[in-house]
Every structure is written in structure tokens, then in C-alpha cells.
Amino acid sequence: SAVISQKPSRDICQRGTSLTIQCQVDSQVTMMFWYRQQPGQSLTLIATANQGSEATYESGFVIDKFPISRPNLTFSTLTVSNMSPEDSSIYLCSAVGSRSYNEQFFGPGTRLTVL
Amino acid sequence: AQKVTQAQTEISVVEKEDVTLDCVYETRDTTYYLFWYKQPPSGELVFLIRRNSFDEQNEISGRYSWNFQKSTSSFNFTITASQVVDSAVYFCALSERETSGSRLTFGEGTQLTVNP
């Protein structure tokens, strides 16, 4: 299984600022995703991080608010821009291994609080 | 469109009781994958099992077992002889391989509390 790390693990931010979350996988993976989990809720997919091209966003999420990069097969970043208290959530990165299609593993998450 | 329903929002049991968490799914694909994840209070998401749509055999792993029934579109999860460490939120998820790659649709989760 792939081991996924995220930085930072948690942060408290002021309204109107931006935060970039990093996701690092210890092996090459075929697909990477970003999910949001609002307090007490389930996980919702934000976007698929495509290597070398623009991310594919789900309905309700836009690139201006959640720009994503994936410069190589093991690393991706998610930026939460112009934050408001409604963005307070856990943001999770996930990856599908190149050898186990559809076996999806998750990072530990980044717990974001916006004041 | 795919959908996962976990009707049980919260379950509370006493240690050593057996408990079953229900999961019902909807999909138009003939090829799909079902997952269960555990999210303890620390927040990380722990992978428990993946099952593809062509394999209806029930699976047992220690105190955990899963019952996949295509006829009722259900993929239920049973914990036998529950322990306090089993207390967590459990999510059922679906991936439609043909139409959405590995993108997961999650149910709302079931909060399981095991009391000593």
C-alpha cells in the first residue's frame, strides 16, 4: 500500500488568506484526489489532480477557489484561496496505486480552521 | 448517478456485542467497487476492504465480516465481539470504474460507539 503524508496537519487561518496543503506519496501512483470533509459530515470529492495538466473539478468546486497542482507522479498541492469560516474542514489527499487499481488510500488529512 | 446510503447515523453497543453496519448503494454500471473505511477520532481514514461487483463471496477478516448482496444492492459490515477500540465513524463508498475511474462516492457515515 502507498504511504501518504500531508503538510500541514492542521492550521488556523484568518479570513481572506490562502493556505496551500501538500500531499506526498511514497511511490508512484496513477491517480490522486482531493476530498473535503466538513465538520460532522461525509467526504466530498473536490477534484482529480492530473499530472502535468489542469485538475478536473467536481460540481460546486472551481479552480479559482481551489487551485491544484500535480507536477509529478508522487506530489500534489491544494490551495484554499480567500478563505472564509465555511472553508473550515478536513482536507484529505488520496491516491490510487499503480499496481492496485481502485485500491485507494488516504493521507492523514489537514484540519483547517478559519476564523 | 451513483449514491451510497448509510441509514444508521449512530449506533451504540456494549463491548462484546456484535454489530452490523448497513450500506445500500445505487449505480448504473455493471463494473464497480465497494469500500469500507474507518475514521477513528484522530481523523485519519483507514482502508478496511474493497470488493468488486463480480465477487459476491462474503469475506471474513478476524472480527470483521462483510456481506455483499447484489440482489439488494447492499454491502453490510459486521463486527463480532465489539471492542472499545472499534469506536469510530465507518464509511461505505462506491467507485464506478467505467464512468468515473477511481472517484469515490461516500455514504454519510455511521458513528459507532462501543461502551465498556
Side-chain angles (χ1 to χ4, degrees):
Chain A
S1 64
V3 176
I4 304 173
S5 60
Q6 285 185 235
K7 287 194 296 187
S9 58
R10 59 177 63 229
D11 207 342
I12 301 173
C13 300
Q14 295 297 320
R15 181 195 297 261
T17 62
S18 297
L19 175 72
T20 295
I21 303 168
Q22 297 180 4
C23 176
Q24 179 73 56
V25 189
D26 69 342
S27 58
Q28 291 190 354
V29 292
T30 54
M31 305 181 80
M32 294 181 75
F33 303 90
W34 287 97
Y35 290 82
R36 180 177 73 181
Q37 186 178 24
Q38 294 177 299
Q41 310 262 329
S42 185
L43 284 80
T44 300
L45 181 63
I46 297 172
T48 304
N50 300 310
Q51 194 246 331
S53 65
E54 195 171 286
T56 304
Y57 289 85
E58 298 299 306
S59 175
F61 297 95
V62 295
I63 187 171
D64 290 345
K65 176 67 176 177
F66 297 103
I68 288 171
S69 78
R70 188 181 171 192
N72 57 50
L73 290 174
T74 63
F75 184 78
S76 178
T77 67
L78 167 74
T79 299
V80 186
S81 303
N82 188 23
M83 288 183 284
S84 66
E86 292 71 36
D87 294 320
S88 298
S89 297
I90 299 174
Y91 292 86
L92 297 106
C93 168
S94 73
V96 175
S98 57
R99 286 183 292 178
S100 301
Y101 188 79
N102 256 316
E103 196 154 325
Q104 189 162 148
F105 296 93
F106 283 79
T110 296
R111 194 178 295 265
L112 172 62
T113 301
V114 184
L115 302 177
Chain B
Q2 57 190 29
K3 184 180 179 182
V4 176
T5 301
Q6 295 178 254
Q8 304 149 308
T9 305
E10 295 181 24
I11 300 176
S12 182
V13 299
V14 177
E15 209 169 15
K16 298 184 183 177
E17 283 186 22
D18 298 348
V19 58
T20 295
L21 309 181
D22 297 333
C23 174
V24 175
Y25 62 92
E26 295 176 28
T27 177
R28 295 180 197 168
D29 276 10
T30 56
T31 302
Y32 53 90
Y33 293 82
L34 295 163
F35 301 76
W36 275 96
Y37 288 89
K38 174 182 180 180
Q39 188 175 44
S42 53
E44 78 273 20
L45 216 59
V46 179
F47 169 84
L48 296 178
I49 190 172
R50 173 189 62 133
R51 176 51 52 91
N52 74 56
S53 53
F54 298 107
D55 183 2
E56 285 195 73
Q57 277 193 329
N58 291 332
E59 181 154 342
I60 298 174
S61 177
R63 295 185 298 108
Y64 296 169
S65 61
W66 291 269
N67 184 305
F68 178 28
Q69 300 265 355
K70 283 180 80 169
S71 60
T72 56
S73 297
S74 65
F75 185 45
N76 297 336
F77 172 34
T78 298
I79 302 174
T80 303
S82 59
Q83 300 175 2
V84 172
V85 293
D86 295 327
S87 297
V89 180
Y90 290 86
F91 291 99
C92 180
L94 167 71
S95 172
E96 292 175 329
R97 177 172 176 169
E98 296 302 321
T99 60
S100 62
S102 296
R103 292 154 55 217
L104 292 177
T105 296
F106 283 84
E108 292 303 310
T110 298
Q111 170 73 62
L112 173 65
T113 301
V114 182
N115 298 298

